[in-house]
């Protein structure tokens, strides 16, 4: 299993438990682009709960999983860099409050 497949599997496992909680970060900048909020050393796994999702980091690879409704999830991946400062032409909605919890095992 390669690094990207591992991150995808971890994302799915983290999202399988759904309940309620809230934290202070959105994981998005003012233009709706991914903003790195979780810090990790190289090859280290780390995650943080966002207001509407979770941000996962393995080394330089950062993944946001953000809820935009009960049936809509936005997943984006980067190397921790912001590639544009323009608002998305595709994502026009704002993240929504969806009850969920994270469980580490």
């Amino acid at each position: 299993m390669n690094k990207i497949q591992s991150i995808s599997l971890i994302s799915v496992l983290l999202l399988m438990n759904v309940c309620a909680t809230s934290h202070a970060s959105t994981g998005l900048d003012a233009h709706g682009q991914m903003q790195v909020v979780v810090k990790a050393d190289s090859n280290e796994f780390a995650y943080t709960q966002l207001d509407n999702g979770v941000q996962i980091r393995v080394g330089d690879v950062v993944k946001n999983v953000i809820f935009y409704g009960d049936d809509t999830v936005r997943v984006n991946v980067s190397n921790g860099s912001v590639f544009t400062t323009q608002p998305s032409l595709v994502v026009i909605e704002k993240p929504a409050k969806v009850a969920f919890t994270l469980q580490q095992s």
Side-chain angles (χ1 to χ4, degrees), residues 17-79:
N17 289 321
V18 179
C19 280
T21 193
S22 177
H23 287 265
S25 180
T26 64
L28 302 172
D29 66 15
H31 301 289
Q33 302 296 339
M34 182 165 45
Q35 180 178 32
V36 177
V37 295
V38 66
K39 304 296 181 208
D41 294 330
S42 62
N43 296 323
E44 183 179 317
F45 170 80
Y47 71 93
T48 190
Q49 186 165 340
L50 305 171
D51 286 343
N52 305 304
V54 62
Q55 188 172 95
I56 303 160
R57 184 172 189 154
V58 177
D60 293 333
V61 178
V62 180
K63 180 178 282 191
N64 270 356
V65 180
I66 300 176
F67 296 100
Y68 281 72
D70 290 332
D71 58 355
T72 306
V73 178
R74 177 183 179 190
V75 179
N76 55 352
V77 179
S78 82
N79 65 357

Short mmCIF file of all heavy atoms in Angstrom, two decimals, residues 17-79:
data_model
loop_
_atom_site.label_atom_id
_atom_site.label_comp_id
_atom_site.label_asym_id
_atom_site.label_seq_id
_atom_site.Cartn_x
_atom_site.Cartn_y
_atom_site.Cartn_z
N ASN A 17 -17.03 7.09 12.22
CA ASN A 17 -17.76 7.37 13.46
C ASN A 17 -18.39 8.75 13.36
O ASN A 17 -17.71 9.73 13.21
CB ASN A 17 -16.81 7.34 14.66
CG ASN A 17 -16.35 5.95 14.96
OD1 ASN A 17 -17.14 5.03 14.86
ND2 ASN A 17 -15.09 5.78 15.30
N VAL A 18 -19.71 8.82 13.49
CA VAL A 18 -20.42 10.09 13.34
C VAL A 18 -21.19 10.40 14.61
O VAL A 18 -22.06 9.66 14.99
CB VAL A 18 -21.37 10.03 12.13
CG1 VAL A 18 -22.12 11.33 11.96
CG2 VAL A 18 -20.59 9.70 10.87
N CYS A 19 -20.84 11.55 15.27
CA CYS A 19 -21.54 12.07 16.45
C CYS A 19 -21.40 13.58 16.47
O CYS A 19 -21.53 14.19 15.43
CB CYS A 19 -21.04 11.43 17.74
SG CYS A 19 -21.76 9.80 17.98
N ALA A 20 -21.06 14.25 17.64
CA ALA A 20 -21.03 15.72 17.66
C ALA A 20 -19.85 16.27 18.45
O ALA A 20 -19.54 15.81 19.52
CB ALA A 20 -22.30 16.27 18.25
N THR A 21 -19.21 17.31 17.89
CA THR A 21 -18.17 18.05 18.58
C THR A 21 -17.80 19.27 17.75
O THR A 21 -18.23 19.40 16.61
CB THR A 21 -16.91 17.17 18.84
OG1 THR A 21 -16.07 17.84 19.75
CG2 THR A 21 -16.18 16.84 17.58
N SER A 22 -16.99 20.21 18.29
CA SER A 22 -16.64 21.42 17.55
C SER A 22 -15.24 21.89 17.92
O SER A 22 -14.84 21.76 19.07
CB SER A 22 -17.66 22.52 17.84
OG SER A 22 -17.28 23.70 17.19
N HIS A 23 -14.51 22.43 16.94
CA HIS A 23 -13.18 22.99 17.18
C HIS A 23 -13.07 24.32 16.47
O HIS A 23 -13.97 24.72 15.73
CB HIS A 23 -12.10 22.01 16.72
CG HIS A 23 -11.97 20.83 17.63
ND1 HIS A 23 -11.07 20.78 18.65
CD2 HIS A 23 -12.69 19.69 17.72
CE1 HIS A 23 -11.21 19.64 19.31
NE2 HIS A 23 -12.19 18.96 18.75
N ALA A 24 -11.94 25.00 16.61
CA ALA A 24 -11.84 26.40 16.20
C ALA A 24 -11.33 26.66 14.80
O ALA A 24 -11.29 27.79 14.40
CB ALA A 24 -10.95 27.14 17.20
N SER A 25 -10.93 25.68 14.03
CA SER A 25 -10.34 25.96 12.73
C SER A 25 -11.18 25.38 11.60
O SER A 25 -11.78 24.33 11.72
CB SER A 25 -8.94 25.35 12.66
OG SER A 25 -8.38 25.62 11.40
N THR A 26 -11.20 26.10 10.47
CA THR A 26 -11.95 25.61 9.31
C THR A 26 -11.09 24.81 8.36
O THR A 26 -11.60 24.03 7.56
CB THR A 26 -12.55 26.79 8.51
OG1 THR A 26 -11.48 27.57 7.97
CG2 THR A 26 -13.46 27.63 9.38
N GLY A 27 -9.76 25.02 8.36
CA GLY A 27 -8.87 24.36 7.42
C GLY A 27 -8.88 25.02 6.05
O GLY A 27 -8.28 24.53 5.11
N LEU A 28 -9.60 26.15 5.93
CA LEU A 28 -9.70 26.89 4.67
C LEU A 28 -9.27 28.34 4.90
O LEU A 28 -9.51 28.90 5.97
CB LEU A 28 -11.13 26.87 4.15
CG LEU A 28 -11.74 25.50 3.90
CD1 LEU A 28 -13.22 25.63 3.57
CD2 LEU A 28 -11.00 24.77 2.79
N ASP A 29 -8.66 28.94 3.87
CA ASP A 29 -8.31 30.35 3.97
C ASP A 29 -9.53 31.20 3.59
O ASP A 29 -10.62 30.68 3.36
CB ASP A 29 -7.08 30.69 3.13
CG ASP A 29 -7.28 30.55 1.63
OD1 ASP A 29 -8.44 30.46 1.17
OD2 ASP A 29 -6.27 30.53 0.91
N ALA A 30 -9.36 32.51 3.52
CA ALA A 30 -10.46 33.43 3.23
C ALA A 30 -11.08 33.19 1.85
O ALA A 30 -12.23 33.56 1.61
CB ALA A 30 -9.97 34.87 3.33
N HIS A 31 -10.34 32.55 0.94
CA HIS A 31 -10.83 32.27 -0.42
C HIS A 31 -11.37 30.85 -0.57
O HIS A 31 -11.71 30.43 -1.67
CB HIS A 31 -9.73 32.51 -1.45
CG HIS A 31 -9.20 33.90 -1.42
ND1 HIS A 31 -9.91 34.98 -1.86
CD2 HIS A 31 -8.02 34.39 -0.98
CE1 HIS A 31 -9.21 36.09 -1.70
NE2 HIS A 31 -8.06 35.75 -1.17
N GLY A 32 -11.42 30.10 0.53
CA GLY A 32 -11.92 28.73 0.47
C GLY A 32 -10.89 27.71 0.03
O GLY A 32 -11.23 26.57 -0.24
N GLN A 33 -9.62 28.11 -0.05
CA GLN A 33 -8.55 27.19 -0.41
C GLN A 33 -7.99 26.54 0.85
O GLN A 33 -8.00 27.12 1.93
CB GLN A 33 -7.43 27.93 -1.16
CG GLN A 33 -7.89 28.63 -2.41
CD GLN A 33 -8.41 27.68 -3.48
OE1 GLN A 33 -8.09 26.51 -3.48
NE2 GLN A 33 -9.21 28.21 -4.39
N MET A 34 -7.46 25.31 0.71
CA MET A 34 -6.94 24.59 1.85
C MET A 34 -5.83 25.37 2.54
O MET A 34 -4.95 25.92 1.90
CB MET A 34 -6.41 23.22 1.44
CG MET A 34 -5.89 22.44 2.65
SD MET A 34 -5.62 20.67 2.45
CE MET A 34 -4.78 20.53 0.92
N GLN A 35 -5.90 25.40 3.87
CA GLN A 35 -4.90 26.04 4.71
C GLN A 35 -4.38 24.98 5.67
O GLN A 35 -5.16 24.32 6.35
CB GLN A 35 -5.55 27.19 5.47
CG GLN A 35 -4.62 27.94 6.37
CD GLN A 35 -5.35 29.09 7.05
OE1 GLN A 35 -6.55 29.00 7.32
NE2 GLN A 35 -4.66 30.16 7.31
N VAL A 36 -3.08 24.80 5.74
CA VAL A 36 -2.50 23.78 6.61
C VAL A 36 -2.58 24.27 8.05
O VAL A 36 -2.08 25.34 8.38
CB VAL A 36 -1.04 23.48 6.22
CG1 VAL A 36 -0.43 22.48 7.18
CG2 VAL A 36 -0.97 22.97 4.79
N VAL A 37 -3.24 23.48 8.90
CA VAL A 37 -3.34 23.81 10.32
C VAL A 37 -2.70 22.74 11.20
O VAL A 37 -2.38 23.01 12.34
CB VAL A 37 -4.80 24.06 10.76
CG1 VAL A 37 -5.36 25.29 10.06
CG2 VAL A 37 -5.67 22.87 10.50
N VAL A 38 -2.53 21.53 10.68
CA VAL A 38 -1.92 20.46 11.46
C VAL A 38 -0.43 20.43 11.17
O VAL A 38 0.00 20.55 10.03
CB VAL A 38 -2.58 19.09 11.18
CG1 VAL A 38 -2.33 18.63 9.76
CG2 VAL A 38 -2.12 18.04 12.16
N LYS A 39 0.36 20.34 12.20
CA LYS A 39 1.81 20.31 12.06
C LYS A 39 2.32 18.90 12.30
O LYS A 39 1.82 18.19 13.17
CB LYS A 39 2.48 21.26 13.07
CG LYS A 39 1.98 22.69 12.98
CD LYS A 39 2.33 23.31 11.65
CE LYS A 39 1.84 24.75 11.61
NZ LYS A 39 1.53 25.20 10.30
N ALA A 40 3.32 18.48 11.53
CA ALA A 40 3.91 17.15 11.69
C ALA A 40 5.34 17.17 11.17
O ALA A 40 5.65 17.90 10.24
CB ALA A 40 3.10 16.10 10.94
N ASP A 41 6.19 16.37 11.80
CA ASP A 41 7.55 16.18 11.30
C ASP A 41 7.49 15.31 10.06
O ASP A 41 6.49 14.65 9.79
CB ASP A 41 8.43 15.52 12.36
CG ASP A 41 8.65 16.42 13.56
OD1 ASP A 41 8.65 17.66 13.38
OD2 ASP A 41 8.80 15.89 14.67
N SER A 42 8.58 15.26 9.29
CA SER A 42 8.60 14.44 8.08
C SER A 42 8.31 12.99 8.43
O SER A 42 8.81 12.46 9.43
CB SER A 42 9.95 14.56 7.39
OG SER A 42 10.98 14.08 8.22
N ASN A 43 7.46 12.37 7.63
CA ASN A 43 7.02 10.98 7.77
C ASN A 43 6.22 10.71 9.04
O ASN A 43 5.98 9.56 9.38
CB ASN A 43 8.20 10.01 7.68
CG ASN A 43 8.85 10.08 6.32
OD1 ASN A 43 8.17 10.24 5.31
ND2 ASN A 43 10.16 9.98 6.28
N GLU A 44 5.82 11.74 9.75
CA GLU A 44 5.00 11.57 10.94
C GLU A 44 3.53 11.75 10.58
O GLU A 44 3.17 12.58 9.76
CB GLU A 44 5.40 12.61 11.98
CG GLU A 44 4.67 12.49 13.30
CD GLU A 44 5.12 13.53 14.29
OE1 GLU A 44 6.33 13.76 14.40
OE2 GLU A 44 4.25 14.12 14.95
N PHE A 45 2.67 10.95 11.18
CA PHE A 45 1.22 11.07 10.99
C PHE A 45 0.66 12.01 12.05
O PHE A 45 1.01 11.91 13.23
CB PHE A 45 0.56 9.70 11.12
CG PHE A 45 -0.94 9.78 11.17
CD1 PHE A 45 -1.67 9.93 10.01
CD2 PHE A 45 -1.62 9.73 12.38
CE1 PHE A 45 -3.05 10.02 10.04
CE2 PHE A 45 -2.99 9.81 12.42
CZ PHE A 45 -3.72 9.96 11.25
N ALA A 46 -0.19 12.93 11.63
CA ALA A 46 -0.88 13.82 12.57
C ALA A 46 -2.23 14.19 11.98
O ALA A 46 -2.43 14.14 10.76
CB ALA A 46 -0.06 15.08 12.82
N TYR A 47 -3.16 14.54 12.83
CA TYR A 47 -4.46 15.00 12.35
C TYR A 47 -5.03 15.99 13.36
O TYR A 47 -4.62 16.04 14.52
CB TYR A 47 -5.44 13.84 12.13
CG TYR A 47 -5.92 13.18 13.39
CD1 TYR A 47 -7.11 13.59 14.00
CD2 TYR A 47 -5.20 12.16 13.99
CE1 TYR A 47 -7.56 13.00 15.16
CE2 TYR A 47 -5.64 11.56 15.14
CZ TYR A 47 -6.81 11.98 15.73
OH TYR A 47 -7.24 11.38 16.89
N THR A 48 -5.98 16.79 12.90
CA THR A 48 -6.70 17.69 13.79
C THR A 48 -8.14 17.80 13.30
O THR A 48 -8.40 17.74 12.10
CB THR A 48 -6.05 19.09 13.85
OG1 THR A 48 -6.67 19.84 14.89
CG2 THR A 48 -6.17 19.84 12.53
N GLN A 49 -9.03 17.91 14.24
CA GLN A 49 -10.43 18.09 13.89
C GLN A 49 -10.65 19.55 13.52
O GLN A 49 -10.14 20.45 14.18
CB GLN A 49 -11.34 17.70 15.05
CG GLN A 49 -12.79 17.73 14.65
CD GLN A 49 -13.66 17.02 15.66
OE1 GLN A 49 -13.17 16.20 16.44
NE2 GLN A 49 -14.94 17.31 15.65
N LEU A 50 -11.38 19.77 12.45
CA LEU A 50 -11.75 21.11 12.00
C LEU A 50 -13.19 21.37 12.39
O LEU A 50 -13.89 20.47 12.84
CB LEU A 50 -11.59 21.21 10.48
CG LEU A 50 -10.22 20.85 9.91
CD1 LEU A 50 -10.28 20.78 8.39
CD2 LEU A 50 -9.18 21.85 10.38
N ASP A 51 -13.65 22.61 12.21
CA ASP A 51 -15.05 22.92 12.50
C ASP A 51 -16.01 21.99 11.76
O ASP A 51 -17.02 21.57 12.31
CB ASP A 51 -15.38 24.36 12.08
CG ASP A 51 -14.80 25.39 13.03
OD1 ASP A 51 -14.42 25.03 14.16
OD2 ASP A 51 -14.73 26.56 12.64
N ASN A 52 -15.68 21.69 10.50
CA ASN A 52 -16.59 20.92 9.66
C ASN A 52 -15.93 19.70 9.03
O ASN A 52 -16.33 19.26 7.96
CB ASN A 52 -17.15 21.82 8.55
CG ASN A 52 -17.80 23.06 9.13
OD1 ASN A 52 -18.68 22.96 9.96
ND2 ASN A 52 -17.33 24.22 8.74
N GLY A 53 -14.88 19.17 9.64
CA GLY A 53 -14.20 18.03 9.06
C GLY A 53 -12.94 17.68 9.81
O GLY A 53 -12.84 17.87 11.01
N VAL A 54 -11.96 17.20 9.06
CA VAL A 54 -10.69 16.79 9.64
C VAL A 54 -9.57 17.10 8.65
O VAL A 54 -9.77 17.07 7.44
CB VAL A 54 -10.70 15.28 10.00
CG1 VAL A 54 -10.88 14.42 8.76
CG2 VAL A 54 -9.45 14.87 10.76
N GLN A 55 -8.39 17.43 9.18
CA GLN A 55 -7.20 17.60 8.35
C GLN A 55 -6.19 16.55 8.80
O GLN A 55 -5.93 16.40 9.99
CB GLN A 55 -6.60 18.99 8.48
CG GLN A 55 -5.48 19.23 7.49
CD GLN A 55 -5.03 20.68 7.49
OE1 GLN A 55 -4.07 21.02 8.18
NE2 GLN A 55 -5.73 21.51 6.73
N ILE A 56 -5.64 15.82 7.82
CA ILE A 56 -4.71 14.72 8.06
C ILE A 56 -3.39 15.07 7.39
O ILE A 56 -3.38 15.58 6.28
CB ILE A 56 -5.27 13.41 7.47
CG1 ILE A 56 -6.64 13.11 8.07
CG2 ILE A 56 -4.30 12.26 7.68
CD1 ILE A 56 -7.46 12.15 7.24
N ARG A 57 -2.30 14.76 8.07
CA ARG A 57 -0.99 15.02 7.48
C ARG A 57 -0.07 13.83 7.71
O ARG A 57 0.03 13.31 8.80
CB ARG A 57 -0.37 16.27 8.10
CG ARG A 57 0.95 16.64 7.47
CD ARG A 57 1.44 17.97 7.97
NE ARG A 57 2.58 18.38 7.18
CZ ARG A 57 2.94 19.61 7.00
NH1 ARG A 57 2.27 20.59 7.55
NH2 ARG A 57 4.00 19.91 6.27
N VAL A 58 0.58 13.39 6.62
CA VAL A 58 1.64 12.40 6.70
C VAL A 58 2.82 13.00 5.97
O VAL A 58 2.80 13.15 4.74
CB VAL A 58 1.23 11.05 6.05
CG1 VAL A 58 2.39 10.08 6.09
CG2 VAL A 58 0.01 10.47 6.73
N GLY A 59 3.84 13.40 6.73
CA GLY A 59 4.99 14.08 6.13
C GLY A 59 4.55 15.36 5.45
O GLY A 59 3.95 16.23 6.08
N ASP A 60 4.81 15.48 4.16
CA ASP A 60 4.46 16.68 3.40
C ASP A 60 3.07 16.62 2.77
O ASP A 60 2.62 17.60 2.20
CB ASP A 60 5.49 16.92 2.28
CG ASP A 60 6.85 17.27 2.84
OD1 ASP A 60 6.92 17.81 3.96
OD2 ASP A 60 7.86 17.01 2.16
N VAL A 61 2.40 15.48 2.84
CA VAL A 61 1.09 15.33 2.21
C VAL A 61 0.00 15.72 3.23
O VAL A 61 -0.07 15.16 4.32
CB VAL A 61 0.86 13.89 1.72
CG1 VAL A 61 -0.53 13.74 1.12
CG2 VAL A 61 1.94 13.51 0.71
N VAL A 62 -0.84 16.69 2.84
CA VAL A 62 -1.90 17.18 3.70
C VAL A 62 -3.24 16.94 3.00
O VAL A 62 -3.38 17.24 1.82
CB VAL A 62 -1.73 18.69 3.99
CG1 VAL A 62 -2.84 19.19 4.90
CG2 VAL A 62 -0.36 18.96 4.60
N LYS A 63 -4.21 16.40 3.74
CA LYS A 63 -5.53 16.13 3.17
C LYS A 63 -6.59 16.75 4.07
O LYS A 63 -6.57 16.57 5.29
CB LYS A 63 -5.78 14.64 3.07
CG LYS A 63 -7.15 14.29 2.49
CD LYS A 63 -7.34 12.79 2.36
CE LYS A 63 -6.59 12.32 1.13
NZ LYS A 63 -6.89 10.94 0.75
N ASN A 64 -7.52 17.51 3.46
CA ASN A 64 -8.71 18.01 4.14
C ASN A 64 -9.89 17.15 3.75
O ASN A 64 -10.07 16.84 2.57
CB ASN A 64 -9.03 19.45 3.71
CG ASN A 64 -8.35 20.49 4.57
OD1 ASN A 64 -7.69 20.19 5.55
ND2 ASN A 64 -8.52 21.74 4.19
N VAL A 65 -10.71 16.80 4.71
CA VAL A 65 -11.99 16.15 4.48
C VAL A 65 -13.01 17.05 5.17
O VAL A 65 -13.06 17.11 6.40
CB VAL A 65 -12.03 14.73 5.07
CG1 VAL A 65 -13.38 14.07 4.81
CG2 VAL A 65 -10.90 13.88 4.50
N ILE A 66 -13.79 17.80 4.37
CA ILE A 66 -14.68 18.82 4.92
C ILE A 66 -16.11 18.55 4.46
O ILE A 66 -16.36 18.34 3.28
CB ILE A 66 -14.24 20.24 4.48
CG1 ILE A 66 -12.82 20.50 5.00
CG2 ILE A 66 -15.21 21.29 5.00
CD1 ILE A 66 -12.24 21.82 4.56
N PHE A 67 -17.03 18.59 5.42
CA PHE A 67 -18.45 18.36 5.13
C PHE A 67 -19.10 19.65 4.64
O PHE A 67 -18.92 20.72 5.22
CB PHE A 67 -19.18 17.87 6.38
CG PHE A 67 -18.71 16.54 6.85
CD1 PHE A 67 -17.83 16.42 7.91
CD2 PHE A 67 -19.14 15.38 6.22
CE1 PHE A 67 -17.38 15.19 8.34
CE2 PHE A 67 -18.70 14.13 6.65
CZ PHE A 67 -17.83 14.04 7.71
N TYR A 68 -19.87 19.52 3.58
CA TYR A 68 -20.67 20.63 3.04
C TYR A 68 -22.16 20.33 3.17
O TYR A 68 -22.98 21.04 2.63
CB TYR A 68 -20.30 20.90 1.58
CG TYR A 68 -19.02 21.70 1.46
CD1 TYR A 68 -17.79 21.13 1.73
CD2 TYR A 68 -19.06 23.04 1.10
CE1 TYR A 68 -16.62 21.87 1.65
CE2 TYR A 68 -17.89 23.78 1.00
CZ TYR A 68 -16.68 23.20 1.27
OH TYR A 68 -15.52 23.93 1.20
N GLY A 69 -22.49 19.29 3.89
CA GLY A 69 -23.86 18.86 4.13
C GLY A 69 -23.85 17.40 4.53
O GLY A 69 -22.80 16.75 4.55
N ASP A 70 -25.02 16.88 4.87
CA ASP A 70 -25.12 15.48 5.29
C ASP A 70 -24.70 14.50 4.20
O ASP A 70 -24.29 13.39 4.47
CB ASP A 70 -26.54 15.15 5.73
CG ASP A 70 -26.89 15.83 7.05
OD1 ASP A 70 -25.97 16.07 7.86
OD2 ASP A 70 -28.08 16.12 7.26
N ASP A 71 -24.81 14.91 2.93
CA ASP A 71 -24.47 14.01 1.83
C ASP A 71 -23.42 14.58 0.88
O ASP A 71 -23.26 14.09 -0.23
CB ASP A 71 -25.73 13.64 1.05
CG ASP A 71 -26.47 14.85 0.50
OD1 ASP A 71 -26.06 15.99 0.80
OD2 ASP A 71 -27.45 14.67 -0.23
N THR A 72 -22.70 15.62 1.33
CA THR A 72 -21.67 16.23 0.48
C THR A 72 -20.38 16.41 1.28
O THR A 72 -20.38 17.05 2.33
CB THR A 72 -22.14 17.61 -0.04
OG1 THR A 72 -23.40 17.47 -0.66
CG2 THR A 72 -21.13 18.18 -1.02
N VAL A 73 -19.30 15.82 0.75
CA VAL A 73 -17.98 15.91 1.40
C VAL A 73 -16.97 16.38 0.36
O VAL A 73 -16.96 15.90 -0.77
CB VAL A 73 -17.54 14.54 1.96
CG1 VAL A 73 -16.15 14.63 2.57
CG2 VAL A 73 -18.53 14.02 2.97
N ARG A 74 -16.15 17.34 0.74
CA ARG A 74 -15.07 17.82 -0.14
C ARG A 74 -13.75 17.27 0.40
O ARG A 74 -13.44 17.43 1.57
CB ARG A 74 -15.02 19.35 -0.13
CG ARG A 74 -13.90 19.93 -0.95
CD ARG A 74 -13.89 21.45 -0.81
NE ARG A 74 -12.81 22.04 -1.57
CZ ARG A 74 -12.45 23.32 -1.47
NH1 ARG A 74 -13.09 24.13 -0.65
NH2 ARG A 74 -11.46 23.78 -2.19
N VAL A 75 -12.99 16.62 -0.46
CA VAL A 75 -11.68 16.08 -0.10
C VAL A 75 -10.66 16.73 -1.01
O VAL A 75 -10.80 16.70 -2.23
CB VAL A 75 -11.64 14.55 -0.26
CG1 VAL A 75 -10.25 14.01 0.09
CG2 VAL A 75 -12.71 13.88 0.58
N ASN A 76 -9.65 17.35 -0.41
CA ASN A 76 -8.57 17.91 -1.23
C ASN A 76 -7.23 17.56 -0.60
O ASN A 76 -7.13 17.38 0.60
CB ASN A 76 -8.73 19.40 -1.48
CG ASN A 76 -8.87 20.22 -0.22
OD1 ASN A 76 -8.99 19.71 0.88
ND2 ASN A 76 -8.86 21.52 -0.37
N VAL A 77 -6.23 17.41 -1.46
CA VAL A 77 -4.90 16.98 -1.04
C VAL A 77 -3.88 17.92 -1.64
O VAL A 77 -4.02 18.38 -2.77
CB VAL A 77 -4.61 15.54 -1.55
CG1 VAL A 77 -3.22 15.10 -1.13
CG2 VAL A 77 -5.66 14.57 -1.07
N SER A 78 -2.83 18.22 -0.86
CA SER A 78 -1.73 19.03 -1.39
C SER A 78 -0.44 18.64 -0.67
O SER A 78 -0.45 17.83 0.25
CB SER A 78 -2.01 20.53 -1.20
OG SER A 78 -1.68 20.95 0.10
N ASN A 79 0.62 19.27 -1.09
CA ASN A 79 1.91 19.05 -0.43
C ASN A 79 2.13 20.09 0.67
O ASN A 79 3.24 20.31 1.10
CB ASN A 79 3.06 19.09 -1.43
CG ASN A 79 3.23 20.45 -2.07
OD1 ASN A 79 2.46 21.37 -1.81
ND2 ASN A 79 4.23 20.60 -2.90
#
